[in-house]
Amino acid sequence: MKKILCGVLCLILVLSMAACGSTPAAVTEAAAVPETVAVPLAAGEAQTVTAPKYVFLFIGDGMSYPQFQAASDYLGALSDDDYEKALPSTAYDTRDGAVLDGPVELSFMKFSVAGSAVTYDSCSFAPDSASTATSIATGKKTYSGMINVDESGATPYETIAEKLHAQKGWKVGIISSVNLNHATPAAFYAHQASRNNYYEIGEELVNSGFEYFAGGGLKKVTGNDKDKTSLYDLAEAAGYKVTYTQADAEAVTAADQKVILIDEHLADSDSMDYDMDRGSGEWALADYVAKGIEVLNNDTGFFMMCEGGKIDWACHANDAGATVTDTLALADAVQVAVDFAKEHPDETLILVTGDHETGGLTIGFAGTDYDTYLDALANQTISYAQFDEQYVSKYKENGTSFEDAMKDVENLFGLKLTGDEDDRLVLTEYETQRLRTAYDLIMSDYSASDFTQEQYVLYGTYNPFSVTVTHILNNKAGVDFTSYSHTGLPVAVFADGNGAEEFGGYYDNTDIYNKLANLLGVK
């Protein structure tokens, strides 16, 4: 009963306070960066340490232990040839011989300190990105759906990024593979009673004065009524250089002072492509981190938050292949910071964490017992989103037969109707029937809003055929999902560099902010 009442209260508050756009009162003018800060110890004493002046915070949205371990195990399962094709990056261990003994560590899995953070918010043990990112950015709990305001929606919370910008004169960069006014990036500059106030969040982005924004496009750039000034026009009027092509982004330098780089190849919902859909030569998350360092680097200091947002989207859709490749893309981005830290070893702190877990991903499946075949995921060459857009959307219009649709499935996911009985990707009679049932459904005038409980468990709100394809490939690889939503799993907190030792242990996600604030000496 308490959980039901809490959920109702959350909904009422989010709806009733949706117009709230309060921002914190102006903070004091930038102060000189202190050379040392007093960091409290557990015994109540304090030690004086030299504070880092370059801080990277990487957030894998929806990324907990299953996501990065699955990516690590996937690399370990690949043959040498597949491994070399999949890994042009330096973010992973090299290997010799035909068989690797175990998983391959991602860049951040090698960090000197590993901790864990609990993610619950003020109304759920399975929280959303708005409230959990608020906890990380401000050290405060709030309701799901709210960004940097208290449970009443009336009191704003100042973020670590805002404090560093105002109090210490640090430059700030915000990067995301999804929309730049989506919940997680917004939690470092915005203060709204509803995460759906995209236009108002965009206005706060412009007014933040932060020097670097990059990645996906802004959502609802003219609001709901289409009559408002475009957020991009507002940004240019406020002194931002806004780019829409990769060539223009490449030409950006620190001399441009304030920039917003919108990825040239926007995909679903104006986000960046899933990494498996990214074309050769197109910028990845790592490229935006590298450009961010170029724009932000200075002798005073900078703070950069980079979100791997499409890890979450892939997990919502139960697409393990896209989950793995976008987790690897985040690891590549972390490696750029690692390389920077090698040049500034005593001045850099790198943190990698998640806001929550999404999908209830697990390594292991009833149909494979104790075995996994994660290399099967390498047969997938397209995300569920692009499969929907480029192929499935045309099947009903063209009257495509199930057998012809399965030719696309074999080409893009490796699943086959017939073949050698030793080939794990050949479908069983049971799996084929699941696909036929889903295909018949999408060829009808179905509506997900009318799904029965059984249908929702099978398909969620996703295209029944696409999600059944990924479910079957996932299971053949030996992985599975329990949900299309978030779960209550704790997340890892990896830390390396100056101050990393503060982040070991098991603690609440609000302590990520608390530890950072103490270490950096902000008020």
Side-chain angles (χ1 to χ4, degrees), residues 325-381:
T325 52
D326 264 71
T327 302
L328 296 179
L330 180 67
D332 283 343
V334 173
Q335 184 61 36
V336 176
V338 171
D339 292 340
F340 173 85
K342 292 175 182 175
E343 304 297 322
H344 307 272
D346 299 325
E347 301 172 308
T348 306
L349 171 64
I350 307 173
L351 300 176
V352 181
T353 190
D355 49 358
H356 53 73
E357 197 276 340
T358 299
L361 175 64
T362 187
I363 303 169
F365 172 63
T368 59
D369 297 322
Y370 290 97
D371 294 321
T372 58
Y373 307 91
L374 290 165
D375 55 329
L377 297 176
N379 291 281
Q380 181 177 343
T381 60

Side-chain angles (χ1 to χ4, degrees), residues 311-431:
I311 300 171
D312 173 73
W313 290 19
C315 287
H316 274 294
N318 291 183
D319 184 341
T323 298
V324 163
T325 52
D326 264 71
T327 302
L328 296 179
L330 180 67
D332 283 343
V334 173
Q335 184 61 36
V336 176
V338 171
D339 292 340
F340 173 85
K342 292 175 182 175
E343 304 297 322
H344 307 272
D346 299 325
E347 301 172 308
T348 306
L349 171 64
I350 307 173
L351 300 176
V352 181
T353 190
D355 49 358
H356 53 73
E357 197 276 340
T358 299
L361 175 64
T362 187
I363 303 169
F365 172 63
T368 59
D369 297 322
Y370 290 97
D371 294 321
T372 58
Y373 307 91
L374 290 165
D375 55 329
L377 297 176
N379 291 281
Q380 181 177 343
T381 60
I382 191 171
S383 71
Y384 79 93
Q386 287 303 307
F387 183 53
D388 280 351
E389 181 179 324
Q390 297 180 31
Y391 295 88
V392 181
S393 63
K394 301 179 177 67
Y395 289 157
K396 185 176 181 180
E397 177 185 345
N398 298 335
T400 306
S401 68
F402 173 72
E403 287 73 20
D404 283 343
M406 287 304 300
K407 293 176 183 177
D408 292 334
V409 171
E410 180 175 352
N411 182 48
L412 300 169
F413 295 88
L415 299 175
K416 309 166 187 176
L417 286 173
T418 61
D420 190 326
E421 63 179 12
D422 293 329
D423 187 344
R424 288 199 54 78
L425 295 177
V426 174
L427 296 165
T428 65
E429 183 177 343
Y430 165 67
E431 291 165 341

